[in-house]
Amino acid sequence: MRHPYQCLCICSRQLSNQVLIAAAGSKIYSFTLKDGALRSTWTFQRNELPKESQKDDDENAKAKSPKRPRSKSPVPSKNQRPSRSRAFPLQPNVVQLVASKDSKFLLAVTGEDKCISVFAIGNDGALSLLSERCMPKRPSSVSLTFDGSTILCADKFGDVYSLPLLCPSTDASIPVGLKIKQQKIITQESTTSFSPSANKFTVHTARNRKALENQLSSKGVTVSEKPTFNFEHHLIIGHVSMLTDVVSQSIKDPSGNSRSYIITSDRDEHIRVSRGIPQAHIIESFCLGHKEFVSRIYIPSWSPKLLVSGGGDDHIFLWDWMAGSLKQKLNLKNTAETGLGSCLEDYSISQDIRREGTSFGKERNTLQNNGFVESITVSGIWGLNFDSPVATHEGYILIACEGLPALFVFKLKTNETIEHHQTITLSGNCLSLAINTDDSTIMISIDNIHIPGSSTKFRDTSDTNCSLLQCYKYTKDIKPWEEIKNLSEPYQISDNLEYPIGGEGSIADLLYSFNPLRKRKYGDDS
């Protein structure tokens, strides 16, 4: 089976030469939309330490860890936790693609090595690497500021960093990143190499006295130096929860001056509105109303004072984010059940299959064969505007959910309300999409590995009918949108799948990363 495209992006480098950029695993492909020709391929390689460093680390690890007798019985005890070793692929995977407004640069985020790579997009669509910057924590979302000069990186520890888009390096081809100094082991015969603050007169309990004796009898001390950056970076925002998305927006005040804002969402149901750089520490408002994690936020370009959000709730939310007020809440779960009810009979999805190696214990099936949707997890929100943003505030909001073979289209009306327009049923679960405004087409990435409605149950290997992409021609106020089947044929060139079938590190962890954010309720033993 071919590897699906987990990320899509369209860049209008020239009016007559638009470029489709697609990521499949650790590879990035660039195509020209005019003829579907492949222009370039980029493969990310895992950054490894030199062999000497690996050897020193192994020796230090052996010296630290005491020898333990092997267990005579290979069967773990009842209370023993199972092993959580991860079967990561050899190369880091692309988890996000972001293009600059002028389509001259491309941001690619890779998960396993925590790197943000910046590419230059040539006039012919070819990609050339400008820089690689590895962050201390894994990025969960990146975006560009409204002026396009600064990268905003939100990580899984709740921090937002600002980085310049272009590094001030004399040689742009030299990758820059995070240099971690090797751990040094200092061994001295003198006991003055380490001096504990406690002594025998200040320690009274038997446990503390024993700990003090171990410290005084120590022959060496381990010194671990903090990682140092060799590129410009600034910590601008901090959350107490894992961040899921970050966007930037500029709004004109009553006096006509523009003021920038940074909007962030996290796992703890919060949407925070902060001022832009350099006043990002000032919080303007919160958008509170979600009961589950917030996975995606989107600000329509034609109506910048509105914000659409979605996550683990059954609803999608429409906000006046400047005021922090909720304008509308629409039930997405009912919309999914109504739009997919007619096609559920074609999907043979079991509810009793259990997935090994997950923290939740049960398979992430979204569709159930009783005709109901078990849970909603929004994975993507996009906007589509037909007219000039100045002339009207009307457009379409496109929403994709993890494990659902459909794209939900909502109409954002001029009275600042949303209503369901249509549901596009797909041949597989929707992963990503890209909008080509020049010829009014939408290119949707399809999961050709899993059965529609499931994130772990695989298709039959002989099933080759599912295409990697599905293309639709959109027309204002006309439904359903017409599918163009021959338009996706040139892009079926990704490599064969090289992932474990189940357990941690499988293809499902790459394609469906939001559902594990759902918090287990009290008493849930599943």
Side-chain angles (χ1 to χ4, degrees), residues 190-211:
S190 176
T191 57
T192 59
S193 60
F194 174 74
S195 178
S197 58
N199 54 59
K200 63 180 180 180
F201 299 105
T202 60
V203 175
H204 305 287
T205 63
R207 179 181 297 179
N208 291 343
R209 283 197 299 269
K210 186 176 181 180

Side-chain angles (χ1 to χ4, degrees), residues 77-246:
S77 61
K78 183 178 180 179
N79 297 327
Q80 183 178 353
R81 293 184 178 182
S83 174
R84 295 185 61 83
S85 60
R86 297 184 65 88
F88 281 134
L90 296 178
Q91 294 87 10
N93 298 301
V94 180
V95 295
Q96 189 177 4
L97 293 175
V98 178
S100 60
K101 290 184 178 179
D102 56 6
S103 297
K104 293 182 179 180
F105 303 100
L106 175 73
L107 303 181
V109 182
T110 48
E112 285 75 10
D113 58 358
K114 300 175 286 188
C115 273
I116 301 175
S117 302
V118 180
F119 293 87
I121 306 174
N123 292 332
D124 59 347
L127 301 177
S128 58
L129 180 66
L130 297 181
S131 65
E132 284 183 317
R133 283 166 279 188
C134 298
M135 305 303 294
K137 304 301 180 182
R138 181 168 179 165
S140 55
S141 179
V142 298
S143 67
L144 291 170
T145 54
F146 197 74
D147 59 2
S149 62
T150 305
I151 302 173
L152 300 176
C153 174
D155 63 29
K156 293 196 172 183
F157 276 68
D159 295 329
V160 178
Y161 288 89
S162 65
L163 306 87
L165 175 63
L166 300 179
C167 298
S169 176
T170 55
D171 187 359
S173 63
I174 299 177
V176 296
L178 178 66
K179 291 184 177 179
I180 301 179
K181 297 181 180 180
Q182 296 179 12
Q183 196 177 36
K184 298 179 180 180
I185 306 299
I186 303 175
T187 305
Q188 298 179 357
E189 296 296 333
S190 176
T191 57
T192 59
S193 60
F194 174 74
S195 178
S197 58
N199 54 59
K200 63 180 180 180
F201 299 105
T202 60
V203 175
H204 305 287
T205 63
R207 179 181 297 179
N208 291 343
R209 283 197 299 269
K210 186 176 181 180
L212 179 61
E213 292 174 359
N214 294 335
Q215 293 178 2
L216 295 174
S217 61
S218 175
K219 297 294 182 180
V221 60
T222 300
V223 179
S224 179
E225 298 187 10
K226 292 183 179 181
T228 58
F229 292 91
N230 65 335
F231 59 88
E232 181 182 354
H233 67 290
H234 302 281
L235 177 61
I236 58 173
I237 294 177
H239 281 236
V240 295
S241 178
M242 170 183 171
L243 292 177
T244 56
D245 205 358
V246 55

Side-chain angles (χ1 to χ4, degrees), residues 243-260:
L243 292 177
T244 56
D245 205 358
V246 55
V247 296
S248 176
Q249 185 63 42
S250 179
I251 296 293
K252 289 186 178 181
D253 57 18
S255 61
N257 299 323
S258 296
R259 171 172 287 183
S260 61

Side-chain angles (χ1 to χ4, degrees), residues 34-52:
K34 185 178 181 180
D35 54 3
L38 177 64
R39 292 303 180 186
S40 65
T41 302
W42 182 270
T43 303
F44 288 96
Q45 302 292 337
R46 177 176 290 277
N47 297 328
E48 297 181 357
L49 293 174
K51 294 183 179 180
E52 296 180 357

